[in-house]
PDB file of all heavy atoms in Angstrom:
ATOM      1  N   LEU A 190     -29.617  39.299  32.070  1.00  0.00           N
ATOM      2  CA  LEU A 190     -30.679  38.853  31.167  1.00  0.00           C
ATOM      3  C   LEU A 190     -31.199  37.475  31.544  1.00  0.00           C
ATOM      4  O   LEU A 190     -32.268  37.057  31.070  1.00  0.00           O
ATOM      5  CB  LEU A 190     -30.191  38.879  29.698  1.00  0.00           C
ATOM      6  CG  LEU A 190     -29.783  40.276  29.173  1.00  0.00           C
ATOM      7  CD1 LEU A 190     -29.332  40.175  27.718  1.00  0.00           C
ATOM      8  CD2 LEU A 190     -30.950  41.251  29.327  1.00  0.00           C
ATOM      9  N   GLY A 191     -30.398  36.703  32.281  1.00  0.00           N
ATOM     10  CA  GLY A 191     -30.871  35.396  32.731  1.00  0.00           C
ATOM     11  C   GLY A 191     -30.843  34.335  31.657  1.00  0.00           C
ATOM     12  O   GLY A 191     -31.498  33.303  31.767  1.00  0.00           O
ATOM     13  N   ILE A 192     -30.123  34.576  30.555  1.00  0.00           N
ATOM     14  CA  ILE A 192     -29.989  33.613  29.451  1.00  0.00           C
ATOM     15  C   ILE A 192     -28.588  32.996  29.556  1.00  0.00           C
ATOM     16  O   ILE A 192     -27.632  33.724  29.814  1.00  0.00           O
ATOM     17  CB  ILE A 192     -30.139  34.271  28.083  1.00  0.00           C
ATOM     18  CG1 ILE A 192     -31.357  35.192  28.035  1.00  0.00           C
ATOM     19  CG2 ILE A 192     -30.114  33.261  26.968  1.00  0.00           C
ATOM     20  CD1 ILE A 192     -32.667  34.496  27.935  1.00  0.00           C
ATOM     21  N   PRO A 193     -28.453  31.662  29.391  1.00  0.00           N
ATOM     22  CA  PRO A 193     -27.098  31.067  29.392  1.00  0.00           C
ATOM     23  C   PRO A 193     -26.174  31.731  28.381  1.00  0.00           C
ATOM     24  O   PRO A 193     -26.617  32.145  27.291  1.00  0.00           O
ATOM     25  CB  PRO A 193     -27.370  29.595  29.018  1.00  0.00           C
ATOM     26  CG  PRO A 193     -28.778  29.343  29.427  1.00  0.00           C
ATOM     27  CD  PRO A 193     -29.511  30.668  29.214  1.00  0.00           C
ATOM     28  N   ARG A 194     -24.896  31.857  28.803  1.00  0.00           N
ATOM     29  CA  ARG A 194     -23.926  32.605  27.997  1.00  0.00           C
ATOM     30  C   ARG A 194     -22.660  31.809  27.700  1.00  0.00           C
ATOM     31  O   ARG A 194     -22.260  30.948  28.506  1.00  0.00           O
ATOM     32  CB  ARG A 194     -23.516  33.862  28.749  1.00  0.00           C
ATOM     33  CG  ARG A 194     -24.625  34.830  28.915  1.00  0.00           C
ATOM     34  CD  ARG A 194     -24.172  36.121  29.588  1.00  0.00           C
ATOM     35  NE  ARG A 194     -23.982  36.015  31.017  1.00  0.00           N
ATOM     36  CZ  ARG A 194     -23.563  37.000  31.779  1.00  0.00           C
ATOM     37  NH1 ARG A 194     -23.312  38.189  31.269  1.00  0.00           N
ATOM     38  NH2 ARG A 194     -23.417  36.845  33.103  1.00  0.00           N
ATOM     39  N   SER A 195     -22.009  32.105  26.579  1.00  0.00           N
ATOM     40  CA  SER A 195     -20.769  31.434  26.198  1.00  0.00           C
ATOM     41  C   SER A 195     -19.866  32.409  25.498  1.00  0.00           C
ATOM     42  O   SER A 195     -20.260  33.093  24.554  1.00  0.00           O
ATOM     43  CB  SER A 195     -21.082  30.261  25.276  1.00  0.00           C
ATOM     44  OG  SER A 195     -19.885  29.662  24.823  1.00  0.00           O
ATOM     45  N   LEU A 196     -18.599  32.486  25.987  1.00  0.00           N
ATOM     46  CA  LEU A 196     -17.609  33.392  25.347  1.00  0.00           C
ATOM     47  C   LEU A 196     -16.402  32.657  24.835  1.00  0.00           C
ATOM     48  O   LEU A 196     -15.731  33.097  23.920  1.00  0.00           O
ATOM     49  CB  LEU A 196     -17.220  34.466  26.359  1.00  0.00           C
ATOM     50  CG  LEU A 196     -16.186  35.518  25.924  1.00  0.00           C
ATOM     51  CD1 LEU A 196     -16.699  36.350  24.712  1.00  0.00           C
ATOM     52  CD2 LEU A 196     -15.835  36.466  27.055  1.00  0.00           C
ATOM     53  N   SER A 197     -16.056  31.511  25.470  1.00  0.00           N
ATOM     54  CA  SER A 197     -14.708  30.976  25.312  1.00  0.00           C
ATOM     55  C   SER A 197     -14.623  29.705  24.465  1.00  0.00           C
ATOM     56  O   SER A 197     -15.371  28.754  24.650  1.00  0.00           O
ATOM     57  CB  SER A 197     -14.107  30.699  26.671  1.00  0.00           C
ATOM     58  OG  SER A 197     -13.762  31.914  27.275  1.00  0.00           O
ATOM     59  N   ALA A 198     -13.626  29.704  23.562  1.00  0.00           N
ATOM     60  CA  ALA A 198     -13.156  28.507  22.909  1.00  0.00           C
ATOM     61  C   ALA A 198     -11.942  27.997  23.723  1.00  0.00           C
ATOM     62  O   ALA A 198     -11.790  28.357  24.887  1.00  0.00           O
ATOM     63  CB  ALA A 198     -12.784  28.814  21.457  1.00  0.00           C
ATOM     64  N   THR A 199     -11.090  27.197  23.123  1.00  0.00           N
ATOM     65  CA  THR A 199      -9.959  26.621  23.848  1.00  0.00           C
ATOM     66  C   THR A 199      -9.147  27.696  24.584  1.00  0.00           C
ATOM     67  O   THR A 199      -8.897  27.566  25.798  1.00  0.00           O
ATOM     68  CB  THR A 199      -9.019  25.864  22.880  1.00  0.00           C
ATOM     69  OG1 THR A 199      -9.770  24.893  22.187  1.00  0.00           O
ATOM     70  CG2 THR A 199      -7.858  25.224  23.665  1.00  0.00           C
ATOM     71  N   GLY A 200      -8.760  28.737  23.879  1.00  0.00           N
ATOM     72  CA  GLY A 200      -7.897  29.762  24.480  1.00  0.00           C
ATOM     73  C   GLY A 200      -8.596  30.450  25.656  1.00  0.00           C
ATOM     74  O   GLY A 200      -7.948  30.713  26.696  1.00  0.00           O
ATOM     75  N   GLY A 201      -9.866  30.761  25.511  1.00  0.00           N
ATOM     76  CA  GLY A 201     -10.607  31.453  26.566  1.00  0.00           C
ATOM     77  C   GLY A 201     -10.744  30.621  27.819  1.00  0.00           C
ATOM     78  O   GLY A 201     -10.713  31.150  28.940  1.00  0.00           O
ATOM     79  N   ILE A 202     -10.885  29.306  27.659  1.00  0.00           N
ATOM     80  CA  ILE A 202     -10.938  28.412  28.835  1.00  0.00           C
ATOM     81  C   ILE A 202      -9.692  28.616  29.682  1.00  0.00           C
ATOM     82  O   ILE A 202      -9.749  28.682  30.899  1.00  0.00           O
ATOM     83  CB  ILE A 202     -11.065  26.932  28.408  1.00  0.00           C
ATOM     84  CG1 ILE A 202     -12.403  26.695  27.688  1.00  0.00           C
ATOM     85  CG2 ILE A 202     -10.892  26.007  29.612  1.00  0.00           C
ATOM     86  CD1 ILE A 202     -12.539  25.314  27.076  1.00  0.00           C
ATOM     87  N   LEU A 203      -8.541  28.718  28.997  1.00  0.00           N
ATOM     88  CA  LEU A 203      -7.256  28.851  29.713  1.00  0.00           C
ATOM     89  C   LEU A 203      -7.047  30.222  30.303  1.00  0.00           C
ATOM     90  O   LEU A 203      -6.136  30.425  31.115  1.00  0.00           O
ATOM     91  CB  LEU A 203      -6.103  28.473  28.751  1.00  0.00           C
ATOM     92  CG  LEU A 203      -6.263  27.089  28.115  1.00  0.00           C
ATOM     93  CD1 LEU A 203      -5.178  26.854  27.079  1.00  0.00           C
ATOM     94  CD2 LEU A 203      -6.217  25.983  29.160  1.00  0.00           C
ATOM     95  N   LEU A 204      -7.891  31.222  29.917  1.00  0.00           N
ATOM     96  CA  LEU A 204      -7.790  32.563  30.494  1.00  0.00           C
ATOM     97  C   LEU A 204      -8.363  32.624  31.922  1.00  0.00           C
ATOM     98  O   LEU A 204      -8.162  33.576  32.623  1.00  0.00           O
ATOM     99  CB  LEU A 204      -8.482  33.591  29.611  1.00  0.00           C
ATOM    100  CG  LEU A 204      -7.847  33.852  28.257  1.00  0.00           C
ATOM    101  CD1 LEU A 204      -8.721  34.858  27.483  1.00  0.00           C
ATOM    102  CD2 LEU A 204      -6.419  34.376  28.402  1.00  0.00           C
TER     103      LEU A 204
END
Side-chain angles (χ1 to χ4, degrees):
L190 298 180
I192 311 286
R194 294 185 282 180
S195 176
L196 179 61
S197 287
T199 303
I202 294 172
L203 305 173
L204 292 177

